[in-house]
């Protein structure tokens, strides 16, 4: 996840998404699954894949509105609307 976060920070959302896909395949039931999901929503927004980001983020918020990463997901989704 650190690699995906670094890629995202350096403006490379498509590469961050690839790293997150690899993470999901390597760890199908990850301990840091919510963190990975928050990063994925942010990467999708930054990559301009807004419908995918909204679908993933909104589904997560319905399931886990009080999650520690829920505020990050909300911020990403709000940024997509600007």
């Amino acid at each position: 996840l650190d690699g995906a976060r670094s890629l995202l920070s350096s403006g490379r959302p498509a590469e961050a998404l690839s790293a997150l896909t690899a993470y999901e395949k390597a760890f199908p039931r990850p301990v840091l699954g919510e963190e990975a999901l928050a990063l994925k929503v942010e990467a999708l927004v930054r990559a301009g894949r807004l419908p995918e980001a909204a679908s993933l983020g909104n589904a997560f918020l319905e399931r886990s509105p009080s999650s520690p990463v829920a505020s990050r997901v909300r911020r990403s989704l709000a940024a997509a609307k600007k």
Side-chain angles (χ1 to χ4, degrees):
L1 291 182
D2 287 337
R5 190 177 295 107
S6 177
L7 289 164
L8 197 51
S9 293
S10 49
R12 296 158 51 195
E15 292 174 64
L17 285 168
S18 293
L20 289 165
T21 299
Y23 176 81
E24 290 169 351
K25 288 179 183 176
F27 302 100
R29 295 184 147 196
V31 172
L32 298 174
E34 289 186 355
E35 174 67 21
L37 184 134
L39 284 169
K40 187 169 187 175
V41 170
E42 184 178 354
L44 286 166
V45 167
R46 290 188 186 195
R49 294 166 56 180
L50 305 182
E52 290 173 79
S55 178
L56 183 63
N58 288 325
F60 171 75
L61 291 171
E62 285 181 26
R63 285 189 316 272
S64 305
S66 300
S67 164
V69 301
S71 62
R72 286 180 45 209
V73 172
R74 285 187 191 95
R75 276 193 307 273
S76 292
L77 294 177
K81 293 178 182 178
K82 292 182 180 182

